[in-house]
Every structure is written in C-alpha cells, then in structure tokens.
Amino acid sequence: MEGKIVMLGFLGPGDTDKFFSPFNKNSTEPDMYGVEYLANIVAQVLEYKKE
C-alpha cells in the first residue's frame, strides 16, 4: 500500500457525520458524509500538485 492514501470513516444511517454539499437539493438536511467530503479535498490537493 506504499504511495496510497487510506481513509476510514462512518457511512451509516443518521446525520452524525454529514456535511452540506453545493449540489444538495434539500437545504435543510446535510447530504455528504464526512469521509467523502475529506476525500474530495484530498483529491483536489493531489490534482493541484500535479500541475
């Protein structure tokens, strides 16, 4: 697993670790799990470093 990034997170029912995304159609309930939110940030940082 050398050179890889591993992220562990909760993807279960409930809103305990959810965030609002820009694509959320229901503005009263969060729609993106925390680990998914952080994975998108990591992906953006890695993509920026390539340039």
Side-chain angles (χ1 to χ4, degrees):
M1 292 182 45
E2 186 176 329
K4 304 294 180 190
I5 296 174
V6 178
M7 301 183 82
L8 301 174
F10 177 73
L11 299 176
D15 292 338
T16 54
D17 187 30
K18 281 191 171 179
F19 293 87
F20 290 94
S21 76
F23 303 108
N24 190 353
K25 292 180 182 177
N26 183 359
S27 61
T28 60
E29 295 181 29
D31 65 331
M32 183 180 284
Y33 289 106
V35 71
E36 182 182 9
Y37 184 81
L38 294 172
N40 281 310
I41 293 170
V42 169
Q44 290 175 6
V45 168
L46 292 174
E47 187 64 32
Y48 178 76
K49 288 181 82 174
K50 282 184 186 179
E51 296 177 0

